[in-house]
Amino acid sequence: MKSFLIKGKDNKQDLLSIEIEISSRNEYKNISKHKRVLMPVIKWCISLDINGHKLDKDEVFVEDVFFESLCYPGHYPMFTCTCGIFGCGGYYVDVVHDNEAMIWTTQQSPYEDKTIKSTNRFVFSWSDIIDFSEKLIQRLEELQSLMISNELEFRFDLEKYKDIIQEIKIKRIEDYNI
């Protein structure tokens, strides 16, 4: 399932979108040397697009870090290697906040298609970041429901993510009332 955000009227801002692929099946797992049990397995993959271009699938988006970056500007290990070890192949994103936008500057071209010309600087409006974040949370809630129904552990702190989004919305309202 794919969610796209609508680009701002000034077309100067970048567009961040998300796609989550979820598959489930049952597999036999060895629980001892002589005993196997049929167990549910859920595989999922989150992929991002910026301006309609897929980001490299070898770089895994780290959701916890993304939500942390919404609170404070800084230097974040937002993408990691598919093996899960940041030092193996991940990269940092420098995050800057201003009144109108959240700005990402990446260490390398994030696109899967390396022929795409990129300045490695992306400007996302706060309204688009909020919409993207809410869609991400919604998709993670769907994943959580599927995992819980199959008695599997779900590792994301969705309530924390929702609180962060609520704080950002309140801050945006306060900024406009000043």
Side-chain angles (χ1 to χ4, degrees):
M1 76 186 72
K2 200 171 202 175
S3 298
F4 285 101
L5 303 178
I6 299 170
K7 205 174 223 186
K9 291 178 185 173
D10 60 9
N11 287 329
K12 291 181 183 176
Q13 294 178 336
D14 294 292
L15 176 66
L16 185 62
S17 60
I18 183 173
E19 183 176 341
I20 298 182
E21 298 173 23
I22 302 172
S23 65
S24 63
R25 64 178 187 274
N26 290 322
E27 288 183 3
Y28 281 99
K29 299 286 182 180
N30 293 333
I31 59 172
S32 72
K33 186 176 180 180
H34 302 289
K35 186 171 182 180
R36 294 176 40 177
V37 175
L38 189 62
M39 299 180 71
V41 174
I42 297 175
K43 294 192 178 192
W44 52 276
C45 176
I46 293 177
S47 58
L48 301 182
D49 292 10
I50 297 178
N51 301 326
H53 301 291
K54 284 211 173 297
L55 299 191
D56 194 339
K57 288 185 180 179
D58 289 336
E59 309 293 342
V60 177
F61 179 62
V62 183
E63 298 81 3
D64 288 336
V65 173
F66 168 74
F67 280 100
E68 183 181 340
S69 79
L70 297 178
C71 299
Y72 308 102
H75 189 64
Y76 290 96
M78 201 170 304
F79 293 89
T80 191
C81 179
T82 55
C83 74
I85 299 171
F86 178 77
C88 179
Y91 64 90
Y92 286 94
V93 175
D94 289 315
V95 177
V96 175
H97 296 178
D98 71 19
N99 287 337
E100 301 299 319
M102 179 179 192
I103 302 162
W104 285 5
T105 305
T106 61
Q107 291 180 320
Q108 62 190 45
S109 175
Y111 296 120
E112 186 171 60
D113 181 354
K114 298 302 181 195
T115 64
I116 296 171
K117 300 290 183 212
S118 171
T119 62
N120 299 349
R121 184 175 186 273
F122 305 97
V123 179
F124 305 108
S125 74
W126 279 109
S127 63
D128 285 345
I129 285 293
I130 291 168
D131 288 345
F132 170 83
S133 300
E134 288 174 336
K135 286 180 170 92
L136 175 57
I137 290 169
Q138 180 184 11
R139 300 304 183 257
L140 290 174
E141 285 175 331
E142 294 167 7
L143 177 61
Q144 178 185 36
S145 176
L146 181 60
M147 292 182 80
I148 288 172
S149 70
N150 283 286
E151 299 176 358
L152 298 171
E153 183 181 351
F154 184 76
R155 68 174 183 87
F156 297 103
D157 189 350
L158 297 181
E159 292 309 312
K160 176 182 170 186
Y161 300 166
K162 290 176 185 178
D163 290 345
I164 290 169
I165 297 304
Q166 190 59 36
E167 286 177 33
I168 291 171
K169 286 179 176 179
I170 290 168
K171 185 178 182 332
R172 304 303 325 145
I173 291 169
E174 290 172 357
D175 287 348
Y176 284 112
N177 287 337
I178 293 178

